[in-house]
Amino acid sequence: MKTDLTDTTASKINKALVKSRRAIGTPAVGMVLTLVVVTDEENAYDALKAASDAAHEHPSRTLVVIKRVSRSLRDRTQSRLDAEVRVGADAGTGETVILRLYGEVVDHAQSVVLPLLLPDAPVVVWWPVNAPLDPAQDPLGALAQRRVTDTYACEQPVEELAARADAYTPGDTDLSWTRITPWRSMLAAALDQVACEVQGVEVEGEEFNPSCELLAMWLADRLGVPVKRTRSAGPGLTAVRMDTDCGPIALDRADGSLATLSIQGQPQRAVALKRRDTAELIAEELRRLDPDDTYASALRYGVERLKSSNGADGPAKGGREAVLTPVESAAKVPASQATAQAPVKKAAAK
């Protein structure tokens, strides 16, 4: 059931929600959280589709906040709120309210969203694009227990990671981190199968892919060894290779769906490691509403060394181009010292 409201208020939207629930015969509210999606008109459709798909696993009230750009001075001084209320089959397993803000109310979106939040339920705010540099200080972000951004959608994702580290507040997370959950799980499982000491790591992937940087930071943080970042044509992450005193361990994924796990002395194994869509990533993030300390540790470890990075070296073997990451440039110490500084050699998955 759809209800269109023009030049409306939050009070009228709430009344429309109650009326719609009664009309379809479900007056009770059975939702577990409120998901606030802050986006623009261009990306609203894709973001809403991903949120609706994730709602099949997490029934929620989805509030899509679209800040419309007013072209004339007169339009910018006139505030207006349009809403589209979807309940029942049109909203999947929850409720959806699409809010379009015009004029001065664009700068006060929190005053529109606050009366529409589910009472006594967690709040998650997601910025598919154009996320604030400090999500916790954003008026909408201040309403939430969890704040989800996506540095992959930024023009300079690596620099964006540095800003995320400087402004990190418990409850912040990023979909670039969520994308590497299967990689972290697989690498941790591989290390659990051997009793070896890791001496160095190489992470290979697309040049401007923040997931590659986060994985390299996580490995360096957990293993305490030098990590080299090399470029490839993609898609996304393509390989992680670990040098150990028992022989190499490699996880290669050339096609973006099927990977090969190679451990010295064991047969090669094919593992499913497909690239997941946004709905799956959001659904994973909604499973946990507590702060992600592992993400915070990896983010701060790598970005502190980002400023001292010297960029790219010459071409590496196999046509790949080696890049000195913050992790590698900070780890240029003798091997004996590196070993002494790294008592823990096994990584834990998210």
Side-chain angles (χ1 to χ4, degrees):
M1 181 176 180
K2 293 184 181 180
T3 304
D4 291 323
L5 302 173
T6 304
D7 197 7
T8 186
T9 63
S11 176
K12 293 179 180 178
I13 295 172
N14 263 322
K15 291 179 180 178
L17 284 168
V18 174
K19 183 178 179 180
S20 298
R21 285 200 303 268
R22 289 176 177 171
I24 64 175
T26 56
V29 178
M31 289 160 286
V32 298
L33 59 89
T34 303
L35 175 61
V36 182
V37 183
V38 187
T39 184
D40 53 20
E41 198 71 63
E42 179 183 358
N43 297 278
Y45 175 81
D46 292 335
L48 180 57
K49 186 178 185 303
S52 299
D53 292 343
H56 291 291
E57 183 176 338
H58 309 277
S60 59
R61 174 177 289 179
T62 303
L63 306 177
V64 183
V65 180
I66 302 174
K67 299 180 180 181
R68 298 296 296 268
V69 178
S70 301
R71 297 183 178 181
S72 66
L73 179 61
R74 179 181 178 182
D75 292 338
R76 286 195 293 268
T77 58
Q78 294 179 349
S79 298
R80 194 178 96 221
L81 170 64
D82 294 343
E84 180 182 338
V85 178
R86 301 180 183 180
V87 178
D90 293 313
T93 57
E95 299 173 344
T96 300
V97 181
I98 302 175
L99 305 168
R100 288 183 170 85
L101 282 57
Y102 301 82
E104 294 180 346
V105 74
V106 168
D107 298 324
H108 305 281
Q110 74 280 4
S111 63
V112 177
V113 169
L114 184 59
L116 301 176
L117 301 178
L118 289 172
D120 302 322
V123 179
V124 179
V125 178
W126 170 36
W127 291 269
V129 293
N130 302 324
L133 291 178
D134 190 348
Q137 295 301 318
D138 184 83
L140 285 173
L143 302 175
Q145 285 78 35
R146 291 278 281 177
R147 296 163 292 275
V148 184
T149 57
D150 191 358
T151 53
Y152 188 78
C154 302
E155 293 185 2
Q156 297 179 322
V158 177
E159 287 74 5
E160 194 74 14
L161 287 177
R164 292 280 176 263
D166 293 337
Y168 177 81
T169 302
D172 292 352
T173 191
D174 196 275
L175 293 186
S176 295
W177 172 255
T178 316
R179 289 183 180 97
I180 63 174
T181 300
W183 283 83
R184 295 189 296 118
S185 300
M186 193 61 62
L187 292 170
L191 288 176
D192 283 339
Q193 298 179 38
V194 295
C196 300
E197 182 176 326
V198 180
Q199 299 169 339
V201 180
E202 177 186 358
V203 176
E204 178 187 297
E206 290 177 328
E207 180 177 359
F208 298 107
N209 191 317
S211 295
C212 302
E213 311 298 332
L214 282 170
L215 184 60
M217 296 170 189
W218 174 71
L219 288 167
D221 181 39
R222 291 297 176 179
L223 300 176
V225 298
V227 177
K228 182 167 66 174
R229 170 80 162 86
T230 55
R231 299 178 185 144
S232 72
L237 269 163
T238 53
V240 175
R241 302 178 182 90
M242 294 183 285
D243 294 326
T244 73
D245 55 5
C246 300
I249 298 176
L251 184 61
D252 289 277
R253 185 190 67 178
D255 60 358
S257 59
L258 190 64
T260 301
L261 177 62
S262 304
I263 301 177
Q264 183 74 23
Q266 299 183 19
Q268 290 188 351
R269 280 164 281 182
V271 295
L273 207 62
K274 74 179 184 69
R275 305 189 73 192
R276 299 181 293 170
D277 58 25
T278 306
E280 293 179 87
L281 302 177
I282 289 295
E284 178 183 327
E285 285 301 331
L286 296 181
R287 291 183 199 128
R288 57 174 302 169
L289 299 177
D290 57 318
D292 192 340
D293 296 331
T294 307
Y295 166 69
S297 178
L299 186 67
R300 288 170 173 161
Y301 181 94
V303 177
E304 289 176 357
R305 294 153 176 83
L306 194 62
K307 298 176 183 177
S308 61
S309 175
N310 292 323
D313 272 351
K317 293 182 181 180
R320 296 188 304 273
E321 189 175 355
V323 180
L324 285 178
T325 62
V327 174
E328 186 181 15
S329 61
K332 282 189 173 180
V333 295
S336 59
Q337 295 182 20
T339 303
Q341 295 172 0
V344 179
K345 293 299 178 186
K346 294 210 174 180
K350 181 178 177 183

